Amino acid sequence: MSTRIYVSLIVMSLTVYAIRLIPFLFLRKPIKNVWFRSFLYYVPYVTLAVMTFPAILTATGNLWAGAVALAFGLVCAWISGDLFAVAITCCVSAFVMGILL
């Protein structure tokens, strides 16, 4: 393997480590800013949505089946709020739309 690969791995490792280390170094006191606390509260949900939204639309290879699965998933999430039920609803609706289209 070339040294470029090793350098890339070291840089990526240091970047990930720095992202995890910086909050521990600079945020020793509790965060009192209401806006910043609410921002940090929603970061995991936004990250999950950003990762799953394109996957839902492109998982079947058919955009319409993915769009229907997304719509059914949104309705199921609004009604029940259960992540497992939403996942099953999306999978079943994408499967059925894949068969119908």
Side-chain angles (χ1 to χ4, degrees):
M1 295 171 77
S2 68
T3 57
R4 186 174 185 180
I5 293 175
Y6 290 121
V7 170
S8 298
L9 286 173
I10 290 171
V11 168
M12 287 186 287
S13 300
L14 290 175
T15 304
V16 170
Y17 186 70
I19 289 171
R20 293 173 186 237
L21 181 67
I22 288 173
F24 288 115
L25 292 177
F26 296 113
L27 300 175
R28 296 186 186 258
K29 296 179 183 177
I31 299 170
K32 297 190 191 286
N33 187 340
V34 176
W35 182 86
F36 194 62
R37 286 183 70 178
S38 66
F39 173 77
L40 291 176
Y41 177 78
Y42 289 109
V43 166
Y45 300 110
V46 170
T47 306
L48 182 64
V50 166
M51 291 188 310
T52 56
F53 181 75
I56 291 172
L57 292 177
T58 59
T60 61
N62 186 345
L63 184 63
W64 291 107
V68 169
L70 178 65
F72 275 105
L74 288 173
V75 169
C76 183
W78 184 267
I79 293 171
S80 74
D82 183 23
L83 185 60
F84 185 71
V86 171
I88 294 298
T89 303
C90 287
C91 291
V92 169
S93 61
F95 179 72
V96 169
M97 288 304 294
I99 290 173
L100 293 177
L101 294 177

